[in-house]
Amino acid sequence: MLTVGVVGAGRVGAVLGAALAAAGHRVVAVAGTSGASRARLALLLPEVPRRPVTAVAHAAVDLLLIAVPDDALAGVVADLAHRGALRPGQVVAHTSGAHGLAVLAPAAAVGARPLALHPAMTFTGTPDDLPRLAGISYGVTAPAELRPLAARLVADLGGVPEWVGEADRPLYHAALAHGANHLVTLVNEAADRLRDAGVARPEKVLAPLLRAALENALRLGDDALTGPVSRGDAGTVQRHLTRLAATAPESVPAYLALARRTADRAIAAGRLRPADAASLLGVLAGSGREVAA
């Protein structure tokens, strides 16, 4: 059982704090000042006192979990080290996917043990997140001597560790952001265009199609690809672009970028023969010049 403090009661910090408490660890203090943070804590950690950041760090005898935005992380760690709030042997972990151990250098300099522990999951910051933690992956970067403890923490959270090298953290995070964050944008773009086409409930139309596409892509890779690009249907793609340019020109660059990358992958996977792709690639190149102009 570890004595834990949590700095940052956002969607991730509050949920992971509650998960650690449910696993039997002692969460003794948490820092979070906004109204949204207080509401999350009331739901997820109602018995845990809110304290200033330095007080949380002092109380976190074994593990200090820092769950703040990426751009704020370095400043929080440096300030805690400067104020003498960290101690030798204390594990200082952050939940950022973009950062590894380098951002924790001020903590390591005073003898704390650094750990990067990123849950590969999207969070709502509500109790509904807790059962969703079962089986998820955590991108973990840790010194060799801390790997057993990191693996145990991930197991306590019901997850699976994925060991990510320090130099690979930006690529790891880019992959997740590209897949998850851009997926949200893509889905909402599709819903908006269906509304433009007169569909009253685009979510009803998209739900079965997108669920099947996602499941097939995860299972089959590029073999899951269907649609006009995979068939080399240049005329269909040209009509798409013409109507998008008239109705929602802001969507054209994203459509073009994704169609070009889809064509590249379809050709590489043998789904689209280069000879059949020539007209399609011409349409995409021509439309690209029109957009640039």
Side-chain angles (χ1 to χ4, degrees), residues 233-288:
D233 287 342
T236 298
V237 171
Q238 180 62 73
R239 286 189 289 274
H240 290 177
L241 289 164
T242 300
R243 186 57 190 271
L244 281 171
T247 304
E250 68 277 10
S251 290
V252 172
Y255 183 102
L256 278 171
L258 287 170
R260 288 173 186 143
R261 187 64 185 126
T262 300
D264 290 343
R265 294 190 68 97
I267 293 169
R271 303 281 296 173
L272 177 63
R273 295 186 306 170
D276 295 334
S279 295
L280 171 68
L281 295 176
V283 166
L284 296 176
S287 295

Side-chain angles (χ1 to χ4, degrees), residues 6-15 30-42 44-45 50 65-69 125:
V6 180
V7 171
R11 296 181 180 186
V12 176
V15 171
V30 61
T33 58
S34 71
S37 293
R38 291 195 296 270
R40 288 188 198 100
L41 294 175
L44 290 160
L45 292 166
R50 285 189 300 113
L65 186 68
I66 304 177
V68 299

Side-chain angles (χ1 to χ4, degrees), residues 28-242:
V28 294
V30 61
T33 58
S34 71
S37 293
R38 291 195 296 270
R40 288 188 198 100
L41 294 175
L43 285 172
L44 290 160
L45 292 166
E47 305 300 323
V48 178
R50 285 189 300 113
R51 296 285 186 264
V53 172
T54 53
V56 173
H58 282 297
V61 174
D62 301 311
L63 171 64
L64 178 65
L65 186 68
I66 304 177
V68 299
D70 292 346
D71 289 348
L73 181 57
V76 170
V77 174
D79 186 63
L80 287 171
H82 177 73
R83 292 174 180 270
L86 306 177
R87 66 180 63 82
Q90 179 185 35
V91 176
V92 177
H94 71 70
T95 61
S96 168
H99 289 288
L101 301 182
V103 74
L104 297 172
V110 299
R113 297 187 289 170
L115 175 62
L117 189 73
H118 174 253
M121 174 56 69
T122 183
F123 288 80
T124 64
T126 68
D128 292 341
D129 289 334
L130 292 172
R132 297 185 186 127
L133 293 179
I136 73 167
S137 295
Y138 287 76
V140 183
T141 304
E145 66 274 12
L146 203 56
R147 279 195 168 203
L149 175 62
R152 192 186 92 195
L153 278 173
V154 171
D156 287 347
L157 291 166
V160 179
E162 291 292 339
W163 304 102
V164 181
E166 177 76 8
D168 292 326
R169 293 293 292 200
L171 183 60
Y172 158 81
H173 194 240
L176 296 183
H178 191 35
N181 303 153
H182 297 168
L183 176 63
V184 174
T185 302
L186 182 61
V187 171
N188 286 321
E189 280 277 302
D192 286 345
R193 300 296 75 80
L194 283 173
R195 291 186 188 95
D196 291 341
V199 176
R201 294 184 59 195
E203 69 281 359
K204 184 177 180 181
V205 176
L206 289 172
L209 173 67
L210 298 187
R211 288 193 181 105
L214 178 58
E215 290 171 3
N216 289 341
L218 292 174
R219 183 168 55 91
L220 301 173
D222 286 317
D223 284 343
L225 185 62
T226 63
V229 171
S230 70
R231 296 188 297 266
D233 287 342
T236 298
V237 171
Q238 180 62 73
R239 286 189 289 274
H240 290 177
L241 289 164
T242 300

